Amino acid sequence: MQWTAREYTRAEAATLAGMPEGSLDSLIHHARDVATLFSEKRKGRRFFSLRDIAVLRVAHEFVHGGRDWLVAIGIAYDRLEHPPPPDALIVAPAVIRRGCGPPIITTTPPDAFDRSTIVVPVGRIVADIIRRAA
């Protein structure tokens, strides 16, 4: 199992991400302009790596938290260069405004929040994808 080897079909990617194929298709369609960040087309078929699947699944969480799809893809892509530890979290301000800072990846959430925050259990999500792929 290699993190960046694009060897999984669309159906396998949907299964590994824990979502229906139609949902995966919808995610891909909404981000088709940046599809090279999370997939590769070969002979008309789309292939994914474990990283790609994790990027799509984590971005899906950020979209449900109110982020724009392209912003969500960027957040996930930038923070998933390598598999995170199983207890890793991505902590991001719910509203983007000056001085809030970028989303961070951490294993220890802040003791207190001073603003609305999105917390995504990225380590648990990636561990589940890797477990399903084994």
Side-chain angles (χ1 to χ4, degrees):
M1 172 202 66
Q2 286 188 351
W3 184 239
T4 59
R6 288 184 166 156
E7 55 193 28
Y8 298 95
T9 65
R10 183 181 127 269
E12 291 168 329
T15 299
L16 293 175
M19 62 178 59
E21 286 182 48
S23 295
L24 180 65
D25 290 342
S26 178
L27 299 178
I28 293 166
H29 176 75
H30 282 86
R32 66 186 170 273
D33 293 338
V34 294
T36 58
L37 294 179
F38 57 79
S39 67
E40 174 184 338
K41 259 192 165 176
R42 286 184 241 143
K43 296 182 181 178
R45 294 182 64 204
R46 198 169 291 279
F47 290 88
F48 303 84
S49 67
L50 292 175
R51 180 188 185 195
D52 297 331
I53 297 163
V55 164
L56 288 169
R57 181 67 179 84
V58 170
H60 179 69
E61 293 294 320
F62 275 100
V63 168
H64 281 282
R67 287 295 203 279
D68 173 81
W69 205 189
L70 292 178
V71 170
I73 291 284
I75 291 169
Y77 183 83
D78 287 346
R79 283 150 190 86
L80 289 170
E81 188 172 330
H82 305 285
D87 58 347
L89 305 167
I90 296 178
V91 179
V95 178
I96 302 172
R97 53 179 175 221
R98 191 176 199 146
C100 286
I104 61 167
I105 194 161
T106 181
T107 55
T108 55
D111 291 332
F113 296 102
D114 59 350
R115 65 180 66 91
S116 295
T117 304
I118 300 169
V119 179
V120 176
V122 65
R124 190 176 313 156
I125 290 168
V126 169
D128 183 56
I129 290 169
I130 291 172
R131 180 188 57 76
R132 289 173 188 246

